Amino acid sequence: MANTLLEMRSITKTFPGVKALDDVNLQIEEGEIHALVGENGAGKSTLMNVLSGIYPFGSYTGDILYNGEICRFNTIKDSEDKGIVIIHQELALVPFLSVGENMFLGNERKTWSGINWDETYQLAASLLDMVGLHESPHTLIKDIGIGKQQLVEIAKALAKNVKLLILDEPTASLNETDSKALLDLLLRFKADGMTSIIISHKLNEVSYVADRITVIRDGQTIRTLDKKHESFNEDVIISAMVGRDLTDRFPKRTSSIGNVSLEIKNWTVYHPLYENRKVCDNISLNVRSGEVVGIAGLIGAGRTEMAMSVFGRSYGRDVSGQVFLNGKEVHMHSVRSAIDHHLAYVTEDRKGNGLVLSDSIATNTTLAKLDKVSRRNILDPDLERRVAEEYREKLHTKCSSIDQLAGNLSGGNQQKVLLSKWMFTDPEILILDEPTRGIDVGAKYEIYCIINDLVAEGKSVLMISSEMPELLGMCDRIYVMNEGRIVGELAKDEATQESIMSCILQNSGAGS
């Protein structure tokens, strides 16, 4: 019989006006991978923040027993001293420090004379290899993408003497291939005796890696499923998560596809720092009105770089090629110009580049098109509020009011505010970069409905996603990118996970 490593008993945590956790109980066995699932705002991350000392003893009620000992953590260092290490969904890296420096920040390799940089970078390189990240530890964090930054966070956790590893949405920034590699890494850690708690909205990944699954809803533990005694049925898990049956993951849509609205020809972009690195190589694609077109590819394929460079040259240098809107060539050399041409780009990084978290929902909603809520160049706060309220109702954003700070919303509701912001600019073409990253299955369905409504109005959607089922369920056509090039184009009826991967694998290394 397995030993109990961790018990959280009757944990209750209250914020002003909200009971985030209500008598939650959780038991973790030594050497298992235990998954926590639930909708955004269910209390999963709050529970782990209690465990790791981010919410200190005294700010909650209930008991934490670790290795049979009652623990009262007042800081995150207290929990780390016990071997409990948490990797948050939000990255905690310093952009202008190197990968190696970030990995050992606060955990420095020291000698009598200072920091041992040789040991630091040697250990960093070894740990990066363990997580499958083939980057120099001397590379600055700002020069690698968000998916690679997530792997740095995991390597950073491994640099500590970890016995219980907590991962909050660790694969949210990863595509399926890299996600599976990470999950296999967790299974190897398990074989070596490590215990892990994983929070994830990706139920197929949870079913693959977890020994047990605990479902949390509205701050309460609903049930725990054990792989030893029952199969992990996704419909059962979803029903427990949302409190109702969800029969279809993707809302049905009758496509009414019109003329080409966006066409990109021979688009080439170079890396902003590395002179000879071509990140987009002679890309040509098109999107029609009323159509959802997907872009599949592995991390580093150049999908985000392509989208950002088209959107007002907000990425890259030595950009060449042509962009046509409704058959007419346009030149968009700034974000403002792109907005004026009715193009919108919904970033993959809603908290870093998409929203001003310290501002209200109302402010964020109108930020990209302030002239629409201004009179004689002076902001009309009443008009701004009416607009924000309209989009709150239209997108069913759950909030206390439009004055609520964007940073206090759940991930799914933040995504709705981000969509509101760009819908308010009156776009004809929307580029959606990972539009459902890090949000739960119920909120995903609502986002998909919004996408369907947009194309039903005749708008065009170009959707970048690392989740193949999402692309297959939502798109009329799918382009496949690899190493900065388009390596395949698949119609809806011929697109499968196998055909997409085949395009990637058949073209890997062709341009090197």
Side-chain angles (χ1 to χ4, degrees), residues 99-101 103-104 119-129 137 155:
V99 168
E101 287 172 315
M103 285 172 59
F104 290 95
E119 182 183 357
T120 296
Y121 284 110
Q122 286 171 8
L123 281 171
S126 173
L127 292 166
L128 291 175
D129 187 58

Side-chain angles (χ1 to χ4, degrees), residues 247-248 250-255 445 449 452 473-474:
T247 53
D248 292 310
F250 304 100
K252 292 180 170 54
R253 180 179 83 247
T254 302
S255 297
Y445 188 88
C449 289
N452 283 355
M474 287 297 297

Side-chain angles (χ1 to χ4, degrees), residues 376-434:
R376 297 178 183 176
N377 294 322
I378 299 174
L379 182 69
D380 183 337
D382 292 333
L383 181 55
E384 180 179 65
R385 292 182 64 81
R386 285 200 299 272
V387 166
E389 191 63 44
E390 175 189 333
Y391 277 96
R392 183 193 70 78
E393 293 177 7
K394 187 175 183 179
L395 274 65
H396 307 293
T397 306
K398 294 177 183 175
C399 57
S400 57
S401 77
I402 56 170
D403 297 315
Q404 186 173 350
L405 299 184
N408 292 338
L409 296 171
S410 68
N413 287 301
Q414 286 181 350
Q415 194 68 17
K416 290 180 183 180
V417 174
L418 184 57
L419 281 168
S420 297
K421 168 185 169 181
W422 288 108
M423 288 167 65
F424 179 61
T425 66
D426 297 323
E428 292 301 320
I429 299 151
L430 291 95
I431 303 173
L432 307 180
D433 196 348
E434 304 288 359

Side-chain angles (χ1 to χ4, degrees), residues 162-176:
V162 56
K163 296 180 176 63
L164 173 59
L165 181 63
I166 305 165
L167 305 103
D168 192 348
E169 298 289 351
T171 66
S173 303
L174 308 181
N175 59 45
E176 293 194 6

Side-chain angles (χ1 to χ4, degrees), residues 265-491:
K265 286 186 176 180
N266 307 318
W267 196 255
T268 298
V269 181
Y270 284 85
H271 194 283
L273 296 175
Y274 301 105
E275 193 172 320
N276 297 316
R277 186 186 294 182
K278 196 183 288 186
V279 291
C280 299
D281 187 1
N282 204 37
I283 289 171
S284 294
L285 58 82
N286 65 74
V287 188
R288 297 175 181 272
S289 63
E291 184 179 36
V292 180
V293 172
I295 303 184
L298 305 180
I299 286 177
R303 299 168 300 166
T304 293
E305 291 82 353
M306 182 273 294
M308 291 180 66
S309 60
V310 168
F311 186 65
R313 307 288 176 96
S314 50
Y315 175 89
R317 62 172 184 81
D318 295 340
V319 178
S320 62
Q322 296 172 289
V323 176
F324 297 85
L325 298 178
N326 297 314
K328 181 181 178 182
E329 185 174 3
V330 297
H331 302 279
M332 298 176 288
H333 292 283
S334 68
V335 169
R336 173 53 54 195
S337 174
I339 293 171
D340 290 342
H341 281 92
H342 303 286
L343 192 67
Y345 171 66
V346 178
T347 175
E348 65 176 338
D349 183 11
R350 61 178 171 262
K351 296 198 174 187
N353 297 325
L355 298 172
V356 182
L357 300 180
S358 58
D359 263 332
S360 67
I361 293 169
T363 300
N364 276 282
T365 300
T366 60
L367 197 55
K369 198 72 172 172
L370 287 174
D371 57 322
K372 285 183 66 180
V373 288
S374 301
R375 302 185 191 280
R376 297 178 183 176
N377 294 322
I378 299 174
L379 182 69
D380 183 337
D382 292 333
L383 181 55
E384 180 179 65
R385 292 182 64 81
R386 285 200 299 272
V387 166
E389 191 63 44
E390 175 189 333
Y391 277 96
R392 183 193 70 78
E393 293 177 7
K394 187 175 183 179
L395 274 65
H396 307 293
T397 306
K398 294 177 183 175
C399 57
S400 57
S401 77
I402 56 170
D403 297 315
Q404 186 173 350
L405 299 184
N408 292 338
L409 296 171
S410 68
N413 287 301
Q414 286 181 350
Q415 194 68 17
K416 290 180 183 180
V417 174
L418 184 57
L419 281 168
S420 297
K421 168 185 169 181
W422 288 108
M423 288 167 65
F424 179 61
T425 66
D426 297 323
E428 292 301 320
I429 299 151
L430 291 95
I431 303 173
L432 307 180
D433 196 348
E434 304 288 359
T436 66
R437 169 173 289 163
I439 63 178
D440 63 74
V441 66
K444 281 185 178 184
Y445 188 88
E446 292 182 321
I447 298 295
Y448 298 148
C449 289
I450 293 166
I451 293 170
N452 283 355
D453 289 343
L454 289 167
V455 293
E457 295 170 7
K459 300 185 187 300
S460 309
V461 170
L462 186 64
M463 186 164 79
I464 298 167
S465 177
S466 298
E467 294 188 38
M468 287 197 207
E470 180 169 83
L471 292 174
L472 297 171
M474 287 297 297
C475 297
D476 300 294
R477 279 187 299 134
I478 298 174
Y479 287 102
V480 184
M481 279 188 69
N482 190 45
E483 297 176 355
R485 294 172 291 113
I486 298 289
V487 295
E489 180 184 354
L490 302 168

